[in-house]
Amino acid sequence: QHFTMSDIKVHYFGATGRGEQIRLSLALADKPFTNVTPGEDVPGFIAGCREKGGNLTTNLPMLEVDGKFYPQSQAASRYIGRRFKLYGSEQDAEQAFLVDKLMDDADDFRAVGYKCCYLPSFGMLATKEGVDKLLEETIPKHLKNFERQLGSQDYFLGTSPTVADASIYNVLVDFFVSFWPTILADYPNLQQFCDRFAAIPSVKAYLESDQKKKNMSFSADLLPKE
């Protein structure tokens, strides 16, 4: 099926955050999409997404395909993987498990990334002492775990990328490299993986697009000063 930008939409704030793994998964699938952001009416946007997505809690980020709505970032990314054949070999339960497991590993690390942020308006109240402890103890464990699982492979399941690679690239680059640009210096395989993933033509086109650049990104400015 041929898709246009009006067929696929990502409903989320004008920021990377949890919506970016969905965008990267779509870029990997080479599927054009439109970002739908709240503008000035944030409460109305959230209420509208809650009505469309059906969850009584949160529906952001939310994927829309052909007028159908898919809330929850992990589930939406997995849907993209299954629909566009980015889930490893078809009908291979072991590979599907690895994709799911790697995406959960990435989400665990993403949660650590949010713990590094000082952004009171969003309830993020990290302290410098807490972040220093994460840098010393927790963050290296996650990086070593990803480096171990990648090994010398091009991608985490071998020679072809999956939505798990999109999710891992997102957490490594959009969170931790954005906070600390040299954090992968001691993890050369991970650095090479990130460079390799970013060079995939459809991903490269997205990363260089205005669509990507206009979204607010994480940076060292969000780290606590005290």
Side-chain angles (χ1 to χ4, degrees), residues 18-226:
R18 289 192 174 275
E20 195 63 13
Q21 68 170 321
I22 297 175
R23 301 182 187 117
L24 285 166
S25 296
L26 289 168
L28 178 61
D30 199 14
K31 302 302 176 186
F33 64 92
T34 299
N35 282 318
V36 181
T37 55
E40 295 182 1
D41 184 13
V42 176
F45 176 73
I46 293 173
C49 289
R50 181 174 291 120
E51 181 179 348
K52 293 171 183 174
N55 272 353
L56 297 180
T57 52
T58 179
N59 290 280
L60 292 170
M62 182 171 66
L63 173 69
E64 178 183 351
V65 181
D66 289 337
K68 190 170 182 179
F69 299 94
Y70 303 87
Q72 297 286 13
S73 56
Q74 290 285 86
S77 296
R78 289 181 170 118
Y79 170 80
I80 293 167
R82 293 186 177 99
R83 178 152 187 177
F84 300 122
K85 302 186 185 307
L86 294 170
Y87 226 81
S89 298
E90 290 187 41
Q91 298 180 332
D92 187 324
E94 290 295 322
Q95 288 206 352
F97 166 79
L98 285 173
V99 171
D100 288 340
K101 188 261 187 194
L102 287 162
M103 292 181 73
D104 286 347
D105 287 343
D107 210 42
D108 287 346
F109 199 24
R110 198 173 284 110
V112 176
Y114 280 112
K115 289 180 180 179
C116 295
C117 295
Y118 182 77
L119 199 59
S121 58
F122 283 84
M124 301 180 196
L125 301 172
T127 64
K128 188 176 185 304
E129 180 182 3
V131 172
D132 287 346
K133 187 173 182 179
L134 290 173
L135 265 175
E136 181 180 350
E137 299 177 3
T138 306
I139 292 171
K141 288 180 182 178
H142 285 273
L143 292 174
K144 288 174 183 176
N145 190 44
F146 284 122
E147 180 95 343
R148 175 189 63 80
Q149 293 180 92
L150 177 64
S152 60
Q153 302 177 112
D154 288 348
Y155 300 102
F156 278 84
L157 260 69
T159 58
S160 299
T162 69
V163 286
D165 296 287
S167 187
I168 294 168
Y169 174 90
N170 164 237
V171 73
L172 291 177
V173 174
D174 291 308
F175 284 78
F176 292 93
V177 172
S178 294
F179 291 146
W180 300 284
T182 61
I183 197 166
L184 297 183
D186 293 332
Y187 307 92
N189 289 349
L190 290 183
Q191 183 62 67
Q192 291 169 20
F193 157 76
C194 290
D195 294 342
R196 186 179 299 115
F197 184 85
I200 296 170
S202 60
V203 174
K204 184 173 186 288
Y206 167 67
L207 294 176
E208 295 175 352
S209 69
D210 290 339
Q211 187 180 35
K212 162 72 173 175
K213 293 175 182 177
K214 69 167 53 173
N215 285 330
M216 185 187 80
S217 300
F218 289 99
S219 71
D221 292 337
L222 295 181
L223 296 174
K225 305 298 187 291
E226 57 184 34

